[in-house]
Amino acid sequence: MAVKNDEKLERALFEARPYVEYWDRLENLVRRLWEEATDEENFLQLLNEELQRAEEPFKTDLRIFLQKFEV
């Protein structure tokens, strides 16, 4: 089982911030999902479920964060 890497989460949030329109909403959602998730794989699954439900322009914010997180 993969362990959650808090540093990876913080770096992705930091790198995504200049490009995101709804920063507070994104940060709150991402941190809540991170706490709920059992590991990184589960976190990505939860995030992708949110992405499916989200509407633009927040959907783009989620994509930006996801791109930064997966690098």
Side-chain angles (χ1 to χ4, degrees):
M1 176 187 264
V3 176
K4 290 194 292 187
N5 181 346
D6 290 339
E7 188 177 310
K8 183 175 179 179
L9 177 76
E10 294 301 326
R11 187 172 53 245
L13 281 168
F14 177 79
E15 290 179 6
R17 186 169 190 165
Y19 308 102
V20 170
E21 190 171 347
Y22 296 99
W23 169 251
D24 291 337
R25 183 177 172 195
L26 177 73
E27 183 183 27
N28 290 336
L29 174 65
V30 164
R31 290 190 188 284
R32 182 175 54 79
L33 294 178
W34 188 254
E35 291 303 314
E36 288 177 17
T38 53
D39 57 23
E40 281 188 24
E41 188 176 323
N42 181 234
F43 172 69
L44 290 172
Q45 181 182 352
L46 293 171
L47 202 57
N48 278 306
E49 288 170 8
E50 288 292 333
L51 190 59
Q52 298 304 315
R53 290 191 291 268
E55 294 183 12
E56 294 297 353
F58 189 62
K59 185 176 259 191
T60 298
D61 290 351
L62 287 170
R63 283 193 200 107
I64 290 167
F65 171 79
L66 201 53
Q67 183 180 26
K68 300 295 183 188
F69 187 81
E70 291 180 322
V71 169

